[in-house]
Amino acid sequence: MKKTILTGLRPTGNLHVGHYFGAGQSWVKLQDEFDFYLEIADVQALTDNFNNPDKVRKNLYEITKDLLAIGLDPNKVHFFVQSKIPEIAELTVYYSNLVTVARLQRNPTVKTEISQKKELFGNDGESITYGFLGYPVSQAADITCFDGDLVPVGDDQLPLLEQCREIVRKFNSIYGETLKEPEQYLSNFSRVKGLDGNEKMGKSLGNAIFLVDDEDTISKKVMSAITDPNKIKKDDPANPDVCMVYYYHKLVNKDEEAVKNICSECKKGARGCVQCKKELINAMNEFLKPIHERRKFYEEHPEEVQRILDEGTEAARERAKTTMENVRKAMRIDY
Ligand code: TRP
């Protein structure tokens, strides 16, 4: 029997190159080894976008197309929609008794997010909603509803996984051994820097290359990427290790020999930044080509995207139903 993995994303925007190298690429590998459940977490996205339902709806389809475009195979991965699985909502209610408000307020991921969303939650988080504070509880329900063994997530999500494990332990200690404690699936996740050299690529940071970007957009973005600030003239020697253009060459340029040359020429002052950027534009377009081709098919066949979501959701729901039967029995509410 294959082990089950489960992961999720909030449908709030398109996927960018950072998502691809940080997670997507490794998911494509995992789909062969595991029984893979991939949640489009629209309910979670609504916790901080409750005032913008159209954004969540639109991005549910956008993100699904992005995920299919990077090579996730709907015959191997169950793509499912969180709001279509009422069992998750039910389990969230039962779990909410097993976690204190103080513990949620101390969750580092939640704390960081509150401080980033001042507009919505106020300067000191004084307007935080019950729903947002509680989303780790709902995420614990996401994960355990499907009896997942492993959760492939980045380090920023570890406090949420830890909280999930605590809830599971508490559940089992009160109601009897029922649920499995999921584990983090460690892969070589790497955080991808932004075009501006920021440690993180992000939509809100305005430093991202999206997988849907067309050639014009790519060209403009790459031309604005940060290079070694000490290089003034075209033939000044420079330090490629502080240059974002070299950084992305290493990520997307498949010609290893060329990448080595870029490094040594840059150090010697034998290459200008404009030429280097043009070569990166080409490499980036090459890298995105198969992704764009696959995406085009789904753009032209929205009914296929809907079918994939419907079927994935149905498979996920079957599993959630079984878990919930065990949960209700353990909690003595299986009337
Ligand atoms: N919180 C995750 C994020 O913001 C998304 C998510 C929802 C998730 N449900 C999940 C991740 C279950 C892992 C497992 O990216």
Side-chain angles (χ1 to χ4, degrees):
M1 263 272 281
K2 281 184 178 175
K3 281 196 171 183
T4 299
I5 60 171
L6 179 130
T7 193
L9 325 98
R10 294 183 194 176
T12 52
N14 282 104
L15 296 186
H16 53 58
V17 168
H19 293 123
Y20 179 79
F21 288 104
Q25 190 186 29
S26 78
W27 294 353
V28 174
K29 295 199 186 104
L30 293 177
Q31 66 182 342
D32 294 316
E33 270 171 73
F34 294 97
D35 199 8
F36 194 158
Y37 288 82
L38 183 46
E39 176 182 85
I40 316 294
D42 59 340
V43 176
Q44 189 177 118
L46 283 164
T47 60
D48 59 344
N49 291 280
F50 53 83
N51 49 359
N52 208 346
D54 289 333
K55 171 176 160 189
V56 175
R57 187 187 177 96
K58 170 175 172 272
N59 282 305
L60 180 122
Y61 292 105
E62 285 299 303
I63 218 164
T64 305
K65 283 183 276 187
D66 284 343
L67 290 164
L68 290 163
I70 65 170
L72 287 172
D73 179 346
N75 294 316
K76 295 177 184 161
V77 179
H78 307 288
F79 289 82
F80 70 96
V81 180
Q82 185 182 10
S83 62
K84 303 278 269 188
I85 316 261
E87 286 77 7
I88 298 176
E90 182 186 351
L91 189 55
T92 305
V93 175
Y94 304 148
Y95 279 176
S96 63
N97 296 324
L98 309 179
V99 55
T100 64
V101 174
R103 174 67 179 83
L104 288 166
Q105 282 166 334
R106 277 200 308 270
N107 185 309
T109 310
V110 176
K111 267 167 80 175
T112 313
E113 284 174 303
I114 294 171
S115 68
Q116 286 164 350
K117 294 171 209 260
K118 294 200 164 51
E119 212 178 294
L120 202 57
F121 297 139
N123 275 332
D124 306 312
E126 70 269 14
S127 315
I128 177 117
T129 59
Y130 165 62
F132 187 80
L133 184 65
Y135 96 74
V137 184
S138 159
Q139 185 158 320
D142 289 348
I143 297 171
T144 49
C145 235
F146 306 97
D147 207 24
D149 300 292
L150 297 166
V151 187
V153 283
D155 286 348
D156 63 318
Q157 294 286 310
L158 277 186
L160 294 174
L161 195 56
E162 201 40 55
Q163 183 130 43
C164 171
R165 293 158 56 84
E166 269 174 47
I167 292 172
V168 167
R169 283 198 291 271
K170 185 110 188 206
F171 186 103
N172 288 342
S173 76
I174 298 172
Y175 304 115
E177 227 23 73
T178 314
L179 299 157
K180 207 172 350 184
E181 259 186 69
E183 284 175 36
Q184 182 195 24
Y185 179 86
L186 277 171
S187 61
N188 47 348
F189 280 110
S190 54
R191 175 158 278 178
V192 176
K193 295 185 190 178
L195 287 159
D196 55 357
N198 193 306
E199 279 308 310
K200 194 180 170 199
M201 181 178 275
K203 186 182 181 181
S204 53
L205 299 165
N207 63 4
I209 294 181
F210 292 93
L211 300 179
V212 286
D213 281 349
D214 60 18
E215 294 196 3
D216 257 6
T217 314
I218 302 276
S219 179
K220 281 195 196 101
K221 286 184 176 174
V222 170
M223 280 301 172
S224 75
I226 297 295
T227 54
D228 180 352
N230 292 321
K231 180 171 165 118
I232 316 277
K233 294 197 302 303
K234 193 174 147 206
D235 47 8
D236 282 345
N239 176 10
D241 293 332
V242 300
C243 172
M244 295 321 293
V245 179
Y246 177 59
Y247 177 86
Y248 290 118
H249 267 297
K250 281 190 292 185
L251 273 182
V252 300
N253 194 329
K254 295 206 176 74
D255 186 345
E256 278 178 38
E257 224 19 64
V259 178
K260 270 193 210 143
N261 279 338
I262 290 171
C263 182
S264 60
E265 285 174 10
C266 175
K267 283 181 179 158
K268 283 190 293 204
R271 87 173 3 241
C273 295
V274 174
Q275 179 200 346
C276 203
K277 285 177 171 174
K278 287 196 175 140
E279 287 168 16
L280 177 59
I281 293 168
N282 287 339
M284 191 65 83
N285 286 331
E286 253 338 276
F287 159 70
L288 290 174
K289 206 161 134 196
I291 297 179
H292 285 176
E293 277 167 10
R294 269 192 297 262
R295 197 177 205 283
K296 189 159 176 278
F297 170 81
Y298 292 106
E299 277 162 8
E300 286 165 0
H301 296 90
E303 72 292 346
E304 186 61 13
V305 178
Q306 190 63 55
R307 186 191 61 80
I308 289 164
L309 288 172
D310 290 346
E311 285 185 13
T313 302
E314 204 176 308
R317 186 145 190 227
E318 280 310 308
R319 238 174 129 130
K321 276 185 188 157
T322 310
T323 308
M324 286 315 290
E325 275 166 25
N326 296 333
V327 163
R328 290 188 210 106
K329 204 155 141 206
M331 293 181 71
R332 326 258 308 121
I333 52 173
D334 57 329
Y335 314 110

